[in-house]
């Protein structure tokens, strides 16, 4: 196992040797990574099967085991991601249009990588490929530390990624740390001198730990405690459709639905319409609501602010929009919040009063997604307020320098300040 100093020395060396954003070698890397994933996918699946078997033997929850698992379908998704990243690179890495200053000189933005990016995540092995692809394709060096549950899978993927980088003519710009202990992670979090950005992806506790123990700037991702306020003016059939889509299409996603806050006047009828559906889901009901359905279970006070990470969501009645907004402010994670209403006054009040990376009106929370929104490939969804909020796409993994074409211009005395 490499030491922290060895890892960071290698990352610093790779950063010095890396070509600037927009170099043709990054497009070649996208192609090489897609090709080599296909070539070695059988070996990756074998390694993943060992991780899954170890997780089952340890008694990990079924939902977590499924997050560990890779299938043939994942290969197609990752190859398509590499193709989309390649297609977006020219526009994202192009220099900005020139602007003219007061003294007649011009200035334009020149894209620059953030630098060395440390990404800490948990049990999804697809994140290893995403982390080795998006940051690196725009010139960053990526240090990737996944959970111990996917150590064998990450070792296999690390070999594939290294091979693709070499084939594309790039230095070792992605370091997949398959075997690391917590001591090493603690040391990495202290190295703000060598790491330029920290991207934690996973549980709220992981994100909070990174925020409170490291001086490295954080692009916080995850923590999807998301609510849907259902106004008395809402189309309830539409509500059922968007709520089930927001939960069942990917129950553990950070943009899935956890809690419906339904106006008192429509809460009982909404529950009836939920239970009239034959979809496989569980409904966690506030004690003030009831339904004779085997899919119903009680909703406790401690369920507020909780990600269920399964095919269930809660329903609580609220007297009005203000009560719903108060609940969201107290228990939400500022990721994705939604409103279902036909009254435009209610919609506008919700948009003014709710504060999250995305606010969805009469639609599924799952719409909060970079490609779905037309923003291109994304690494994660940021819930922070600075640098980037919402989908963390390729542009968010770049900073810039101002290139000033002076042409002999000087400020002189009495010039603009």
């Amino acid at each position: 196992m490499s030491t922290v100093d060895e890892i960071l020395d290698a990352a610093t060396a790779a950063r010095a040797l890396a070509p600037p954003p927009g170099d043709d070698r990054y497009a070649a890397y996208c192609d090489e990574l897609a090709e080599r994933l296909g070539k070695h996918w059988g070996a990756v699946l074998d390694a993943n099967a060992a991780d899954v078997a170890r997780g089952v033997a340890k008694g990990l929850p079924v939902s977590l085991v499924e997050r560990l698992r890779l299938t043939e379908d994942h290969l197609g998704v990752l190859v398509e991601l590499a193709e989309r990243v390649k297609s977006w690179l020219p526009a994202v890495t192009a220099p900005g249009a020139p602007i003219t200053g007061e003294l007649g000189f011009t200035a334009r933005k020149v894209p620059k990588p953030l630098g060395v990016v440390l990404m800490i995540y948990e049990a999804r092995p697809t994140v290893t490929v995403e982390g080795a692809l998006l940051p690196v394709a725009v010139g960053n060096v990526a240090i990737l530390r996944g959970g111990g549950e996917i150590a064998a899978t990450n070792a296999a993927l690390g070999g594939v990624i290294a091979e693709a980088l070499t084939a594309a003519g790039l230095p070792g710009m992605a370091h997949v740390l398959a075997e690391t202990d917590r001591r090493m992670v603690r040391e990495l979090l202290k190295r703000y001198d060598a790491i330029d950005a920290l991207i934690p992806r996973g549980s709220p506790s992981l994100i909070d730990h990174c925020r409170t123990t490291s001086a490295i700037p954080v692009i916080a991702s995850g923590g999807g405690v998301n609510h849907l306020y259902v106004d008395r003016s809402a189309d309830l059939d539409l509500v059922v459709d968007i709520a089930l889509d927001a939960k069942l299409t990917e129950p553990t996603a950070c943009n899935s639905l956890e809690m419906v806050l339904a106006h008192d006047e429509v809460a009982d009828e909404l529950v009836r319409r939920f239970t009239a559906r034959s979809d496989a889901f569980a409904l966690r009901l506030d004690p003030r609501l009831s339904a004779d359905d085997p899919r119903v279970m009680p909703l406790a006070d401690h369920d507020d602010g909780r990600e269920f990470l399964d095919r269930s969501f809660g329903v609580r009645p609220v007297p009005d929009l203000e009560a719903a907004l108060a609940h969201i402010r107290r228990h939400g994670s500022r990721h994705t919040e939604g409103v279902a209403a036909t009254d435009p006054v209610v919609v506008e009040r919700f948009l003014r009063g709710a504060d999250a990376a995305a606010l969805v009106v009469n639609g599924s929370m799952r719409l909060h997604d970079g490609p779905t929104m037309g923003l291109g490939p994304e690494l994660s969804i940021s819930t922070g307020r600075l640098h980037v909020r919402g989908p963390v796409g390729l542009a968010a993994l770049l900073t810039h320098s101002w290139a000033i074409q002076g042409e002999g211009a000087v400020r002189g005395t009495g010039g603009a300040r």
Side-chain angles (χ1 to χ4, degrees), residues 96-109 402-407 409:
I99 61 173
T100 303
E102 291 184 359
L103 301 178
F105 61 85
T106 61
R108 62 188 175 96
K109 287 183 176 181
W402 279 105
I404 300 173
Q405 195 71 30
E407 302 295 345

Side-chain angles (χ1 to χ4, degrees), residues 79-148:
V79 168
E80 181 183 0
L81 176 64
E83 293 170 350
R84 284 192 284 113
V85 168
K86 178 183 175 182
S87 71
W88 276 77
L89 286 180
V92 169
T93 59
I99 61 173
T100 303
E102 291 184 359
L103 301 178
F105 61 85
T106 61
R108 62 188 175 96
K109 287 183 176 181
V110 177
K112 301 287 182 178
L114 295 177
V116 176
V117 175
L118 170 61
M119 190 163 165
I120 300 177
Y121 51 103
E122 293 172 336
R124 289 186 187 273
T126 53
V127 175
T128 303
V129 178
E130 295 166 5
L133 177 57
L134 275 75
V136 170
V138 291
N140 296 289
V141 175
I143 300 172
L144 309 171
R145 198 277 184 179

Side-chain angles (χ1 to χ4, degrees), residues 114-313:
L114 295 177
V116 176
V117 175
L118 170 61
M119 190 163 165
I120 300 177
Y121 51 103
E122 293 172 336
R124 289 186 187 273
T126 53
V127 175
T128 303
V129 178
E130 295 166 5
L133 177 57
L134 275 75
V136 170
V138 291
N140 296 289
V141 175
I143 300 172
L144 309 171
R145 198 277 184 179
E149 302 89 349
I150 54 172
T153 309
N154 273 350
L157 287 173
V160 175
I161 292 160
E163 185 179 308
L165 286 166
T166 300
L170 292 172
M173 298 174 66
H175 303 265
V176 180
L177 309 181
E179 295 285 352
T180 58
D181 56 26
R182 293 187 177 183
R183 177 194 56 79
M184 178 176 284
V185 175
R186 288 195 296 270
E187 289 185 29
L188 286 168
L189 291 175
K190 295 176 183 177
R191 295 300 301 273
Y192 61 87
D193 60 311
I195 299 172
D196 299 287
L198 170 60
I199 305 178
R201 282 189 58 175
S203 66
S205 61
L206 170 65
I207 294 165
D208 288 344
H209 176 74
C210 290
R211 278 175 163 162
T212 57
T213 61
S214 180
I216 303 168
V218 175
I219 301 175
S221 308
V225 181
N226 307 316
H227 304 80
L228 174 65
Y229 169 63
V230 180
D231 186 58
R232 57 185 174 185
S233 70
D235 178 336
L236 297 188
D237 288 331
L238 178 145
V239 169
V240 172
D241 288 340
I242 64 176
L244 294 184
D245 180 88
K247 171 51 68 172
L248 301 185
T249 51
E250 192 171 348
T252 62
C254 60
N255 57 3
S256 68
L257 173 67
E258 303 300 342
M259 185 73 71
V260 173
L261 302 172
H263 194 288
D264 284 336
E265 294 182 17
V266 299
D268 288 316
E269 176 61 18
L270 181 60
V271 169
R272 189 192 68 77
R273 297 198 191 194
F274 275 131
T275 56
R277 292 287 291 263
S278 60
D279 305 71
F281 66 93
L283 203 58
R284 300 172 181 265
L285 289 186
D286 184 284
R288 292 166 289 180
L289 302 171
S290 62
D292 185 14
D293 189 290
R295 293 169 296 179
V296 168
M297 61 181 72
L299 182 70
D301 288 342
H302 68 260
D303 289 328
D304 291 326
R306 177 184 168 197
E307 286 185 279
F308 297 119
L309 302 177
D310 58 22
R311 297 173 67 87
S312 73
F313 58 93

